[in-house]
Amino acid sequence: MKTKIVVANWKMAPNTLEDAKRIWTTTNKSIEKTRNIKLVVCPPDIYLNNLLKNKRSSKIKFGAQDISAQSSYAHTGEIGAEMVRNVGAEYVLIGHSERREMGESNDLVAKKIKEALNNNLTPILCIGEKERDSDGEYLKFVKEEITSAIFSLKKKDLVGFIVAYEPIWAIDKSYTESMNATDIHETVLFIRKALNESFDKDIANSAKILYGGSVEPLNVEKIMSIGNVDGLLVGHSSLNAEDFGKILRIVDK
Ligand code: PGA
């Protein structure tokens, strides 16, 4: 059975370290009961160090939600890839739609991916369209997000590359408004085709494609089976420890 990847994106929550520890403890218990999941928890950076000191299941890895594209000192407010790696995180989300919304361009995303790789962090490239038009323009948009992010990378950096597909219109809603599983499957195939065209077949086949956008206990089964994804990127449901436990159990089936 293939190991699934589940990424918990806590975004800008919770507001206290106590709550972060509480979610963390329950999540640890839930993941311990699974057999085939690698869980990447991406808390706000400010909690990373503290949570990393706690005992954790070997199935949990840590990720940051973003890094700076810069490595030099004079960048107030930024957090460098090397710092993130040095506190013990191994993954980083790059190009989340909420960051793109704040002005992050494809060019900056490409720079951040390189910066992550240079510092031994595994990037999780986030892509996804704002809306679906009947002319299929959104497919061009998604393809451009992929191509621009990887065109200058080496093959060795791209084996097992993780792409999180998150249609923006489906984020932070309820399970009834998430993308239907058949459309997810079609998009997964489209992403593999785009990876093949912009790189090659090995890279397309080895890629891990995750779905994100209102994943909840009630839609996860269909997304995993019909959607044919390698895993999930979970936002609001990852902060609800009980729901998240249910999601992990279903993914592990
Ligand atoms: P959501 O968020 O699960 O709350 O829709 C997903 C994300 O934005 O990563």
Side-chain angles (χ1 to χ4, degrees), residues 43-129:
D45 287 340
I46 199 156
Y47 301 140
L48 255 181
N49 203 21
N50 201 299
L51 294 179
L52 269 153
K53 284 191 202 133
N54 288 275
K55 205 168 141 296
R56 74 174 187 273
S57 157
S58 59
K59 294 168 198 157
I60 298 193
K61 306 286 177 200
F62 272 96
Q65 297 174 13
D66 185 35
I67 45 165
S68 174
Q70 313 296 331
S71 48
S72 59
Y73 146 81
H75 291 94
T76 302
E78 292 277 273
I79 294 189
E82 196 176 345
M83 295 172 183
V84 167
R85 179 70 228 195
N86 285 342
V87 290
E90 293 169 66
Y91 291 78
V92 58
L93 300 177
I94 306 272
H96 189 279
S97 59
E98 286 152 16
R99 300 218 55 86
R100 292 182 191 259
E101 190 62 31
M102 287 184 263
E104 199 158 296
S105 63
N106 280 342
D107 189 36
L108 189 59
V109 167
K111 285 197 183 111
K112 289 187 175 187
I113 288 192
K114 279 202 173 152
E115 189 61 20
L117 292 167
N118 287 341
N119 288 284
N120 276 326
L121 287 170
T122 301
I124 299 169
L125 170 67
C126 303
I127 57 168
E129 75 281 0

Side-chain angles (χ1 to χ4, degrees), residues 15-189:
N15 284 332
T16 66
L17 178 60
E18 282 61 43
D19 281 348
K21 285 186 182 161
R22 193 178 41 75
I23 301 166
W24 169 248
T25 307
T26 322
T27 301
N28 251 280
K29 285 186 191 141
S30 304
I31 193 71
E32 265 306 297
K33 294 184 196 130
T34 65
R35 289 157 306 152
N36 282 307
I37 300 178
K38 182 194 278 182
L39 175 62
V40 180
V41 177
C42 303
D45 287 340
I46 199 156
Y47 301 140
L48 255 181
N49 203 21
N50 201 299
L51 294 179
L52 269 153
K53 284 191 202 133
N54 288 275
K55 205 168 141 296
R56 74 174 187 273
S57 157
S58 59
K59 294 168 198 157
I60 298 193
K61 306 286 177 200
F62 272 96
Q65 297 174 13
D66 185 35
I67 45 165
S68 174
Q70 313 296 331
S71 48
S72 59
Y73 146 81
H75 291 94
T76 302
E78 292 277 273
I79 294 189
E82 196 176 345
M83 295 172 183
V84 167
R85 179 70 228 195
N86 285 342
V87 290
E90 293 169 66
Y91 291 78
V92 58
L93 300 177
I94 306 272
H96 189 279
S97 59
E98 286 152 16
R99 300 218 55 86
R100 292 182 191 259
E101 190 62 31
M102 287 184 263
E104 199 158 296
S105 63
N106 280 342
D107 189 36
L108 189 59
V109 167
K111 285 197 183 111
K112 289 187 175 187
I113 288 192
K114 279 202 173 152
E115 189 61 20
L117 292 167
N118 287 341
N119 288 284
N120 276 326
L121 287 170
T122 301
I124 299 169
L125 170 67
C126 303
I127 57 168
E129 75 281 0
K130 269 208 180 87
E131 54 187 15
R132 293 208 149 192
D133 57 303
S134 51
D135 299 331
E137 282 298 310
Y138 71 93
L139 291 173
K140 286 191 201 142
F141 180 86
V142 168
K143 188 170 179 188
E144 179 58 26
E145 284 189 325
I146 298 168
T147 313
S148 59
I150 66 169
F151 84 100
S152 65
L153 300 181
K154 299 193 181 70
K155 187 163 179 172
K156 69 169 178 44
D157 293 329
L158 284 169
V159 178
F161 195 62
I162 309 176
V163 179
Y165 170 65
E166 299 201 297
I168 297 170
W169 50 268
I171 291 179
D172 204 22
K173 304 264 169 59
S174 87
Y175 74 95
T176 52
E177 291 168 273
S178 81
M179 193 176 196
N180 82 62
T182 314
D183 289 345
I184 293 175
H185 187 190
E186 267 178 23
T187 315
V188 168
L189 295 176

Side-chain angles (χ1 to χ4, degrees), residues 9 11 96 98 166 170-173 213-215 233-236:
N9 177 13
K11 306 193 181 188
H96 189 279
E98 286 152 16
E166 299 201 297
I171 291 179
D172 204 22
K173 304 264 169 59
S214 302
V215 174
L233 175 46
V234 185
H236 62 268

